[in-house]
Amino acid sequence: MTSIVLQGAGLIAVLAAIAKLVQSRPSPTPSVCYLCGAIGSVGLSAALVATDSLTWVAAWEPVPNSGRLAANLLAILAAVCVHGLLAHLVHEPAGARRVMRIQFLVAAVAAATMAVLLMSAGIPFDPDFLAAFADRPAVAAYLVVFSLYIGSATLAFGWFLRSYISQTRRRWLRAGLRTIQAGCVASAAWAASKIAAAAVSVAGNQPGVLDPIGGACAAACVALVALGATMPVWGPRVVLPFAWLRAKHQLRQLSPLWSRLADEIPQITLPTAMVAPNTQFALYRRVVEIRDAQLVLRPYVHPEVSAWARRAAGEAGLDERAAHQTVEAACLVTALDAHTAGHRHQPEPDESSAPYRGVASDTRTEASWLIEVGRTAERSPIVAEVRDRARADLPAV
């Protein structure tokens, strides 16, 4: 089962690296190249280190455990690419190249040390590598060198992402970076499990569950990094059906308020020919038309309505959000009454008649706010009371 997970995660990572390269054509930046190199290398490493893959390679490898060494060196290459990505994100091109020269040297020393340790151990191929040979000092040292290098590289990358996540407002990019961070944590857990298993084995004990834990952490790391790197591409497409359903639901909930305003102020509605057959656009149009109606109605807002509604909301113990919604609903319904009566209360509207401005400008958030305002206008006893007081000041028809 572990082999299938590793091979599947490795395939996902390789495909993700290819997709990212295709997306960035025709001129990928060094950061993108390093990112794709890291994802692709770690994917190939995961697929190759799977027990079934190693067993297949062992049938024709020239030196025992060459396949395992190749898989581990691919992981070293992935860590180098992670350092390259960090270097190009933090430094100017010249500085990044200087940093990478050092990293290539360190990686080469680590790779050469691992090759010497593994070859000098003189061990045959065994799919259960950790349990069979980790008690030998050379193999234990091999595992420690490898794990420390990989673990430190991925932890450094995960730590760096903290500041980068806080600087972006793109929802799916943030989600992807957090997913990559989770992969970095899984990588650190893998490194810790390998070092612990080596220490336990050298002490004369069996690694026990540490070996499968390490395999699971490696698979999780590969899958999470691959998913996170491509999430900004496929994430928005995956949620499209859910976004359509949410927009459809909000459109239906907005209909009572919009219909009431459109009946009273028909000039706010766009001509039918200008309406695109798209639910998200229809929702956006409804929000804009309601906001346009509020703009038209501002001179008809009674100058005392805002204060009356705010005072009543405070006495009722409403929280800040509910209080703002109550004030906005009261202004809206009393202005509609005044508009119907043809009576302007304010030739030059002041700020008390303006809708609440503390709402995010995205369509979904504004629609949710206006839905609550519409419900408050229909159901709130405070709004009903304020409406009666405002009606008393209207001229008799």
Side-chain angles (χ1 to χ4, degrees):
M1 181 62 185
T2 302
S3 291
I4 295 174
V5 172
L6 284 170
Q7 290 168 341
L11 177 61
I12 292 173
V14 171
L15 292 176
I18 294 172
K20 191 71 175 177
L21 274 177
V22 170
Q23 181 198 8
S24 62
R25 64 182 182 180
S27 54
T29 63
S31 297
V32 170
C33 291
Y34 275 118
L35 175 62
C36 294
I39 297 170
S41 298
V42 80
L44 288 173
S45 174
L48 184 55
V49 83
T51 301
D52 292 346
S53 301
L54 290 175
T55 303
W56 178 75
V57 171
W60 51 269
E61 61 186 5
V63 179
N65 297 300
S66 297
R68 183 177 298 278
L69 179 61
N72 294 160
L73 293 183
L74 280 168
I76 291 285
L77 177 60
V80 171
C81 290
V82 168
H83 280 295
L85 175 59
L86 282 175
H88 281 276
L89 289 174
V90 174
H91 303 287
E92 294 298 323
R97 286 192 292 271
R98 287 194 297 271
V99 170
M100 287 314 297
R101 281 196 289 270
I102 298 173
Q103 286 302 324
F104 279 120
L105 177 61
V106 173
V109 171
T113 302
M114 288 167 55
V116 170
L117 288 170
L118 190 61
M119 296 299 106
S120 65
I123 53 177
F125 170 76
D126 191 315
D128 199 2
F129 180 76
L130 189 63
F133 306 119
D135 59 335
R136 304 193 181 193
V139 174
Y142 170 93
L143 291 171
V144 169
V145 171
F146 177 55
S147 301
L148 282 177
Y149 188 88
I150 300 297
S152 61
T154 51
L155 275 180
F157 185 54
W159 183 260
F160 170 80
L161 288 179
R162 290 169 57 254
S163 58
Y164 199 72
I165 289 170
S166 65
Q167 296 173 20
T168 180
R169 298 192 175 185
R170 293 171 56 191
R171 174 188 171 193
W172 285 104
L173 178 58
R174 279 202 314 271
L177 293 175
R178 288 194 179 104
T179 304
I180 293 174
Q181 274 190 316
C184 293
V185 173
S187 173
W190 167 86
S193 70
K194 289 296 181 184
I195 294 172
V200 167
S201 298
V202 169
N205 301 310
Q206 290 296 317
V209 297
L210 291 173
D211 193 15
I213 287 176
C217 290
C221 171
V222 174
L224 289 169
V225 170
L227 289 173
T230 55
M231 194 174 286
V233 177
W234 56 258
R237 293 176 174 82
V238 168
V239 300
L240 275 177
F242 301 100
W244 180 86
L245 287 172
R246 182 170 53 242
K248 193 78 173 174
H249 181 61
Q250 287 189 311
L251 193 60
R252 186 165 56 251
Q253 290 179 306
L254 266 183
S255 288
L257 176 61
W258 176 85
S259 297
R260 185 175 177 184
L261 293 170
D263 289 343
E264 179 67 30
I265 316 170
Q267 66 266 31
I268 65 169
T269 60
L270 291 173
T272 305
M274 296 177 61
V275 179
N278 178 288
T279 304
Q280 272 93 356
F281 179 82
L283 180 65
Y284 170 75
R285 194 195 81 164
R286 288 285 190 268
V287 169
V288 170
E289 289 172 347
I290 292 172
R291 291 305 192 189
D292 285 346
Q294 290 180 306
L295 185 63
V296 172
L297 290 171
R298 282 190 66 185
Y300 296 89
V301 177
H302 191 292
E304 298 298 325
V305 160
S306 178
W308 292 342
R310 188 169 289 108
R311 189 181 307 116
E315 292 171 355
L318 299 183
D319 61 30
E320 183 179 1
R321 178 182 175 87
H324 283 301
Q325 288 170 346
T326 302
V327 171
E328 189 167 332
C331 290
L332 191 58
V333 297
T334 55
L336 277 170
D337 290 338
H339 186 273
T340 302
H343 179 71
R344 285 174 174 254
H345 286 288
Q346 304 179 65
E348 295 296 332
D350 59 24
E351 282 300 304
S352 66
S353 64
Y356 178 57
R357 294 194 175 97
V359 184
S361 59
D362 64 282
T363 302
R364 191 176 111 195
T365 304
E366 278 209 83
S368 297
W369 175 267
L370 290 173
I371 289 166
E372 291 302 320
V373 169
R375 288 174 178 166
T376 303
E378 292 177 358
R379 305 172 186 176
S380 171
I382 295 175
V383 172
E385 179 185 345
V386 170
R387 186 181 188 186
D388 290 338
R389 292 182 67 179
R391 277 176 172 171
D393 288 344
L394 291 177
V397 180

